[in-house]
């Protein structure tokens, strides 16, 4: 069978809604695109732990602290499910981690913003995880089995992340004037980055044709973004908070909330490495890798010794 | 700089007693003991399991997609393996 025929069979399979499984023949670019997407996604989960980790020791109550810890542990889990899914495409985990710590790999631009106050922890759960849920629910319908199954698993866990964040911010918004101002300030700073994290607008999205044809993505960035906006605006209202967008208005005809112009120059600046925390995030991952080295080393030597003992005894 | 991640293990989780173990994903670990602990932390943070198996990924043999048709076709023409193949007179019970 020649390549063109194989590609046709592959496309037919995808068009009929079947999932592609590990080790099946796939076009080289399908494999490449997926490795790129899944590993960027995995890195985002891992780097995403950093801004929140900043507040663990300063959580205002034991309840909030336990919740934040559990939430961050989930994000570590998400990173690992995703590295595991990427590996089914024949790439080594060590290679992906190298790409992250050498600064070659990208991760979600949003994690390059700092968490300045406790309210930011609420804003992240509510907005960042909220945007992630909408995106990941879409990705769960994608064509690659291992990625789609990882998404299903992740989505089940995200709902808790989203709700704890909203609850936190809602409680602040019902508190003292200072607490309410803190909640509003967090929303002001996190709103636009959350809108941007769903990716460039459809007109400028360079990868979208192929990824949609192969059903790696089943909906465009703008469609997903609109769903996020429609869900979130009423939630802000219910908490008595104001979305920082003077042009925001409800379109009676379409039933959608319309937002003002998105400042994409900022988005691209952050992606290119000029965000407020890019360097700090990278350094933290390098340190973690370096400081964990003796643990991996010791575990390996221990495993070898145990194995040697076993063969001796046998 | 390349980090040694340890061996790759496939993870199978039994959600509750009495049902089969199901593939959940994979972990890296230098030995089975650490693979089990890591699998517990990664795949059962909410009591999703009562039992876990870990198997070195390179020990699993699998059929390939290309051969799947010919590999499984001996079963294609044996409809008589299914109970619905047989005609039973009306009114006869418990068959
Ligand atoms: Fe996550
Ligand atoms: Fe999350």
């Amino acid at each position: 069978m020649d390549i063109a025929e194989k590609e046709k069979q592959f496309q037919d399979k995808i068009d009929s809604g079947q999932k592609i499984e590990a080790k099946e023949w796939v076009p080289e670019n399908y494999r490449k695109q997926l490795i790129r997407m899944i590993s960027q996604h995995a890195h985002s989960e891992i780097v995403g732990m950093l801004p929140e980790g900043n507040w663990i020791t300063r959580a205002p109550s034991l309840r909030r602290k336990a919740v934040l810890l559990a939430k961050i542990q989930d994000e570590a889990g998400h990173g690992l499910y995703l590295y595991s899914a990427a590996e089914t495409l024949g790439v080594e985990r060590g290679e992906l981690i190298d790409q992250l710590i050498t600064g070659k790999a990208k991760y979600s631009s949003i994690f390059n913003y700092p968490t300045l106050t406790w309210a930011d922890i609420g804003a992240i759960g509510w907005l960042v995880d909220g945007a992630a849920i909408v995106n990941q629910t879409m990705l769960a319908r994608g064509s690659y089995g291992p990625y789609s199954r990882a998404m299903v698993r992740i989505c089940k866990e995200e709902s808790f992340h989203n709700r704890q964040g909203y609850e936190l911010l809602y409680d602040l918004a019902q508190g003292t004037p200072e607490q309410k101002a803190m909640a509003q300030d967090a929303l002001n700073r996190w709103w636009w980055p959350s809108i941007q994290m769903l990716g460039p607008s459809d007109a400028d999205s360079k990868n979208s044709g192929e990824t949609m044809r192969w059903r790696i993505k089943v909906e465009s960035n703008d469609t997903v973004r609109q769903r996020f906006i429609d869900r979130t605006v009423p939630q802000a209202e219910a908490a008595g908070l104001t979305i920082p967008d003077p042009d925001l208005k409800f379109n009676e005809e379409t039933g959608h909330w319309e937002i003002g112009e998105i400042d994409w120059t900022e988005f691209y600046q952050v992606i290119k490495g000029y965000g407020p925390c890019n360097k700090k995030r990278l350094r933290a991952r390098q340190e973690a890798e370096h400081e964990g080295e003796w643990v991996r080393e010791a575990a390996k030597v221990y495993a070898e010794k145990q194995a040697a003992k076993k063969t001796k005894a046998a | 700089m390349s980090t040694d991640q340890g061996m790759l293990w496939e993870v199978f989780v039994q959600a509750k007693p009495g049902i089969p173990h199901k593939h959940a994903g994979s972990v890296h670990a230098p030995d089975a003991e650490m693979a089990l602990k890591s699998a517990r932390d990664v795949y059962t943070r909410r009591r999703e399991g009562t039992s876990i198996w870990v198997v070195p990924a390179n020990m699993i043999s699998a059929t390939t997609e290309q051969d799947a048709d010919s590999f499984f076709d001996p079963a294609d023409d044996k409809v008589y393996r299914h109970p619905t193949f047989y005609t039973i007179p009306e009114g006869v019970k418990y068959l």
Side-chain angles (χ1 to χ4, degrees):
Chain A
M1 209 185 327
D2 66 11
I3 283 276
E5 241 175 289
K6 275 185 173 171
E7 269 174 6
K8 191 183 172 302
Q9 270 190 8
F10 175 80
Q11 190 65 50
D12 287 348
K13 191 168 178 182
I14 284 179
D15 293 343
S16 72
Q18 287 181 73
K19 300 271 183 205
I20 306 297
E21 291 301 332
K23 296 192 175 118
E24 276 182 37
W25 184 88
V26 298
E28 191 46 30
N29 229 15
Y30 178 84
R31 201 180 80 89
K32 276 200 194 135
Q33 291 267 28
L34 268 170
I35 292 177
R36 181 186 59 86
M37 268 184 68
I38 302 175
S39 61
Q40 281 181 12
H41 196 160
H43 300 326
S44 303
E45 303 282 352
I46 299 296
V47 177
M49 292 191 281
L50 298 169
E52 290 180 295
N54 183 30
W55 281 91
I56 293 175
T57 56
R58 290 173 289 162
S61 71
L62 192 55
R63 177 185 185 264
R64 294 284 183 211
K65 185 174 186 165
V67 167
L68 182 57
L69 262 175
K71 197 264 187 194
I72 296 173
Q73 279 175 332
D74 273 355
E75 304 302 0
H78 296 179
L80 297 180
Y81 308 157
L82 286 161
Y83 285 128
S84 163
E87 280 184 296
T88 64
L89 291 155
V91 63
E92 289 277 326
R93 186 171 309 201
E95 199 182 317
L96 299 177
I97 291 172
D98 277 355
Q99 287 171 3
L100 174 64
I101 60 181
T102 53
K104 261 183 251 159
K106 283 188 188 147
Y107 54 83
S108 185
S109 58
I110 195 130
F111 300 118
N112 289 316
Y113 289 90
T115 39
L116 302 178
T117 73
W118 171 249
D120 289 18
I121 298 306
I124 291 182
W126 174 36
L127 300 172
V128 179
D129 289 81
I133 289 175
V134 181
N135 189 42
Q136 291 172 153
T137 312
M138 176 275 287
L139 291 170
R141 284 153 52 209
S143 62
Y144 189 56
Y147 191 27
S148 129
R149 289 192 287 274
M151 287 298 106
V152 170
R153 231 195 133 77
I154 286 178
C155 286
K156 276 189 198 155
E157 301 182 349
E158 289 292 357
S159 166
F160 136 56
H161 301 178
N162 194 217
R163 289 176 69 129
Q164 64 83 32
Y166 184 72
E167 185 202 71
L168 195 169
L169 216 58
Y170 183 91
D171 283 357
L172 281 178
Q174 319 311 309
T176 63
E178 289 84 358
Q179 286 173 321
K180 182 165 186 187
M182 197 199 244
Q184 182 62 51
D185 168 64
L187 171 57
N188 292 350
R189 282 180 291 110
W190 289 91
W191 172 254
W192 288 108
S194 306
I195 296 288
Q196 292 169 351
M197 87 178 245
L198 293 164
S201 63
D202 296 354
D204 309 315
S205 185
K206 59 178 182 216
N207 290 318
S208 85
E210 221 170 32
T211 48
M212 298 274 275
R213 182 160 60 85
W214 284 332
R215 294 186 66 81
I216 292 174
K217 279 178 158 189
V218 300
E219 282 174 329
S220 75
N221 294 350
D222 287 342
T223 309
V224 172
R225 188 169 8 251
Q226 188 59 53
R227 187 170 303 133
F228 169 65
I229 294 165
D230 289 338
R231 282 184 180 194
T232 312
V233 174
Q235 295 170 350
E237 251 164 47
L241 296 168
T242 312
I243 303 275
D245 178 357
D247 298 326
L248 182 74
K249 57 176 184 297
F250 188 70
N251 184 327
E252 294 281 353
E253 246 163 65
T254 59
H256 291 299
W257 285 93
E258 286 168 4
I259 59 166
E261 191 101 31
I262 301 174
D263 177 9
W264 289 110
T265 40
E266 178 181 328
F267 175 77
Y268 286 111
Q269 282 295 97
V270 179
I271 290 241
K272 280 187 193 126
Y274 304 111
C277 298
N278 295 55
K279 288 210 181 85
K280 204 172 161 198
R281 303 291 182 240
L282 200 60
R283 207 172 336 113
R285 288 318 305 158
Q286 288 163 348
E287 272 168 26
E289 197 60 27
H290 180 66
E291 281 162 18
E293 206 162 353
W294 71 269
V295 181
R296 290 192 296 274
E297 184 75 31
K300 192 179 165 203
V301 173
Y302 177 77
E304 282 163 6
K305 274 193 183 159
Q306 291 301 107
K309 251 195 213 160
K310 243 190 199 163
T311 28
K312 227 183 185 179
Chain B
M1 182 167 26
S2 185
T3 58
D4 187 352
Q5 300 287 313
M7 283 166 61
L8 182 63
W9 304 74
E10 296 297 338
V11 179
F12 300 83
V13 176
Q14 183 190 41
K16 35 185 185 200
I19 63 168
H21 286 66
K22 202 169 136 190
H23 186 242
S26 63
V27 293
H28 280 264
D31 61 22
E33 196 189 331
M34 284 198 67
L36 283 169
K37 284 188 179 146
S38 178
R40 174 199 60 195
D41 294 344
V42 177
Y43 296 106
T44 63
R45 283 189 305 284
R46 290 176 177 76
R47 297 228 51 146
E48 292 97 331
T50 46
S51 160
I52 300 178
W53 293 346
V54 291
V55 184
N58 60 11
M59 296 302 279
I60 295 179
S61 308
T63 56
T64 62
E65 184 229 356
Q66 295 96 300
D67 303 338
D69 283 347
S70 59
F71 191 81
F72 292 108
D73 75 9
D76 284 353
D77 55 358
K78 296 180 183 61
V79 278
Y80 46 84
R81 283 180 171 157
H82 298 279
T84 44
F85 179 73
Y86 302 92
T87 336
I88 301 298
E90 215 162 298
V92 178
K93 286 180 178 169
Y94 306 119
L95 273 167

PDB file of all heavy atoms in Angstrom, chain A residues 45 71 75 78 129 158 161, ligand 2:
ATOM      1  N   GLU A  45       0.896  21.826  32.698  1.00  0.00           N
ATOM      2  CA  GLU A  45       0.398  21.312  33.982  1.00  0.00           C
ATOM      3  C   GLU A  45       1.507  21.399  35.030  1.00  0.00           C
ATOM      4  O   GLU A  45       1.256  21.781  36.175  1.00  0.00           O
ATOM      5  CB  GLU A  45      -0.046  19.852  33.847  1.00  0.00           C
ATOM      6  CG  GLU A  45      -1.122  19.598  32.786  1.00  0.00           C
ATOM      7  CD  GLU A  45      -2.521  19.981  33.236  1.00  0.00           C
ATOM      8  OE1 GLU A  45      -2.697  20.306  34.430  1.00  0.00           O
ATOM      9  OE2 GLU A  45      -3.436  19.963  32.394  1.00  0.00           O
ATOM     10  N   LYS A  71      -5.173  20.268  45.066  1.00  0.00           N
ATOM     11  CA  LYS A  71      -5.343  20.801  43.710  1.00  0.00           C
ATOM     12  C   LYS A  71      -4.012  20.754  42.963  1.00  0.00           C
ATOM     13  O   LYS A  71      -3.932  20.315  41.812  1.00  0.00           O
ATOM     14  CB  LYS A  71      -5.866  22.241  43.845  1.00  0.00           C
ATOM     15  CG  LYS A  71      -6.481  22.805  42.601  1.00  0.00           C
ATOM     16  CD  LYS A  71      -5.515  23.629  41.792  1.00  0.00           C
ATOM     17  CE  LYS A  71      -6.210  24.307  40.636  1.00  0.00           C
ATOM     18  NZ  LYS A  71      -5.247  24.840  39.671  1.00  0.00           N
ATOM     19  N   GLU A  75      -2.565  18.634  39.561  1.00  0.00           N
ATOM     20  CA  GLU A  75      -1.884  19.182  38.371  1.00  0.00           C
ATOM     21  C   GLU A  75      -0.627  18.376  38.067  1.00  0.00           C
ATOM     22  O   GLU A  75      -0.307  18.125  36.904  1.00  0.00           O
ATOM     23  CB  GLU A  75      -1.534  20.665  38.560  1.00  0.00           C
ATOM     24  CG  GLU A  75      -2.703  21.596  38.914  1.00  0.00           C
ATOM     25  CD  GLU A  75      -3.844  21.605  37.902  1.00  0.00           C
ATOM     26  OE1 GLU A  75      -3.769  20.894  36.886  1.00  0.00           O
ATOM     27  OE2 GLU A  75      -4.836  22.325  38.147  1.00  0.00           O
ATOM     28  N   HIS A  78      -1.868  15.427  36.321  1.00  0.00           N
ATOM     29  CA  HIS A  78      -2.229  15.745  34.929  1.00  0.00           C
ATOM     30  C   HIS A  78      -0.986  15.759  34.037  1.00  0.00           C
ATOM     31  O   HIS A  78      -0.999  15.239  32.935  1.00  0.00           O
ATOM     32  CB  HIS A  78      -2.919  17.112  34.850  1.00  0.00           C
ATOM     33  CG  HIS A  78      -4.221  17.143  35.592  1.00  0.00           C
ATOM     34  ND1 HIS A  78      -4.999  18.272  35.675  1.00  0.00           N
ATOM     35  CD2 HIS A  78      -4.884  16.187  36.282  1.00  0.00           C
ATOM     36  CE1 HIS A  78      -6.079  18.001  36.395  1.00  0.00           C
ATOM     37  NE2 HIS A  78      -6.025  16.747  36.775  1.00  0.00           N
ATOM     38  N   ASP A 129      -8.426  27.440  35.362  1.00  0.00           N
ATOM     39  CA  ASP A 129      -8.951  26.080  35.270  1.00  0.00           C
ATOM     40  C   ASP A 129     -10.281  26.080  34.519  1.00  0.00           C
ATOM     41  O   ASP A 129     -10.591  25.132  33.794  1.00  0.00           O
ATOM     42  CB  ASP A 129      -9.104  25.453  36.653  1.00  0.00           C
ATOM     43  CG  ASP A 129      -7.754  25.135  37.289  1.00  0.00           C
ATOM     44  OD1 ASP A 129      -7.138  26.057  37.848  1.00  0.00           O
ATOM     45  OD2 ASP A 129      -7.308  23.978  37.202  1.00  0.00           O
ATOM     46  N   GLU A 158     -10.912  18.399  37.075  1.00  0.00           N
ATOM     47  CA  GLU A 158     -10.865  19.863  36.963  1.00  0.00           C
ATOM     48  C   GLU A 158     -12.050  20.547  37.630  1.00  0.00           C
ATOM     49  O   GLU A 158     -11.955  21.692  38.052  1.00  0.00           O
ATOM     50  CB  GLU A 158     -10.829  20.300  35.494  1.00  0.00           C
ATOM     51  CG  GLU A 158      -9.531  20.019  34.770  1.00  0.00           C
ATOM     52  CD  GLU A 158      -8.364  20.848  35.269  1.00  0.00           C
ATOM     53  OE1 GLU A 158      -8.556  21.695  36.158  1.00  0.00           O
ATOM     54  OE2 GLU A 158      -7.254  20.630  34.771  1.00  0.00           O
ATOM     55  N   HIS A 161     -11.238  21.834  40.870  1.00  0.00           N
ATOM     56  CA  HIS A 161     -10.332  22.979  40.793  1.00  0.00           C
ATOM     57  C   HIS A 161     -11.108  24.264  40.542  1.00  0.00           C
ATOM     58  O   HIS A 161     -10.876  25.297  41.147  1.00  0.00           O
ATOM     59  CB  HIS A 161      -9.326  22.797  39.651  1.00  0.00           C
ATOM     60  CG  HIS A 161      -8.496  21.571  39.795  1.00  0.00           C
ATOM     61  ND1 HIS A 161      -7.566  21.188  38.862  1.00  0.00           N
ATOM     62  CD2 HIS A 161      -8.438  20.638  40.786  1.00  0.00           C
ATOM     63  CE1 HIS A 161      -6.982  20.066  39.259  1.00  0.00           C
ATOM     64  NE2 HIS A 161      -7.492  19.711  40.409  1.00  0.00           N
TER      65      HIS A 161
HETATM   66 FE1  LIG C   2      -6.634  22.161  37.118  1.00  0.00          FE
END
